[in-house]
Amino acid sequence: MRDRGILAAALVVVFLAAGACGGRKSAIGLRLPDGSPAAGRQAFVDLKCNSCHRVAGVALPDPVADPIVPVTLGGAWPYERTDGELLTAIVNPSHTIAAGFPPELLTAGTRSRMGEYGDVMTVKQLIDIVAFLHTRYEVVRTEPPM
């Protein structure tokens, strides 16, 4: 009986800790349905995302933004990107601005230069673009030198 009490207390602690890390803005529980990478590539072009962005390993019309956005989407990444990360980058691009680049190339004032797409992008297009971008990232873990 004592073991059950300890187990119950441990479970309460785990659930409370998970809730403390979660909250309203947490990505916990976010699961997009499977999208179509091919449809996402088409939506990327239809919505003119390629006007600013290059995508690793994909032949698209060259960006025309002035100044050019130096961040290439996709390529080597130290971990698998989540649906939540990619979705947030699209619907709330000012949430995280890519580090290591001159701010004037990525921002207008304190906000991302990326426009708002809420009125022109469908949920299906968003899901498909996330699926397309997932195919362009390659997880590359580097081992620390010995």
Side-chain angles (χ1 to χ4, degrees), residues 2-60:
R2 182 173 180 270
D3 290 339
R4 283 187 180 169
I6 293 171
L7 177 61
L11 288 173
V12 168
V13 169
V14 168
F15 286 121
L16 289 175
C21 296
R24 185 175 152 261
K25 300 283 187 175
S26 171
I28 295 173
L30 173 70
R31 300 292 180 269
L32 292 178
D34 290 338
S36 164
R41 183 187 190 285
Q42 187 61 53
F44 194 88
V45 172
D46 291 346
L47 293 165
K48 300 183 179 15
C49 303
N50 61 293
S51 294
C52 295
H53 297 289
R54 294 182 191 280
V55 179
V58 180
L60 295 169

Side-chain angles (χ1 to χ4, degrees), residues 109-131:
T110 60
R111 311 262 321 143
S112 167
R113 286 176 43 205
M114 185 169 159
E116 295 288 328
Y117 285 86
D119 292 335
V120 296
M121 181 186 297
T122 69
V123 173
K124 172 129 179 49
Q125 286 173 315
L126 177 60
I127 291 167
D128 290 340
I129 289 172
V130 168

Side-chain angles (χ1 to χ4, degrees), residues 1 3 18 20 26 29 40 60-61 66 73 76-77 82 87 90 94 100 103 111 119 131 136 138-139:
M1 192 63 116
D3 290 339
S26 171
L60 295 169
D66 186 23
L73 305 178
W77 205 255
T82 67
L87 179 105
I90 295 167
S94 295
R111 311 262 321 143
D119 292 335
R136 305 317 317 152
E138 175 189 2
V139 176

Side-chain angles (χ1 to χ4, degrees), residues 88-89 92-97 111-112:
T88 300
N92 187 10
S94 295
H95 174 71
T96 302
I97 305 294
R111 311 262 321 143
S112 167

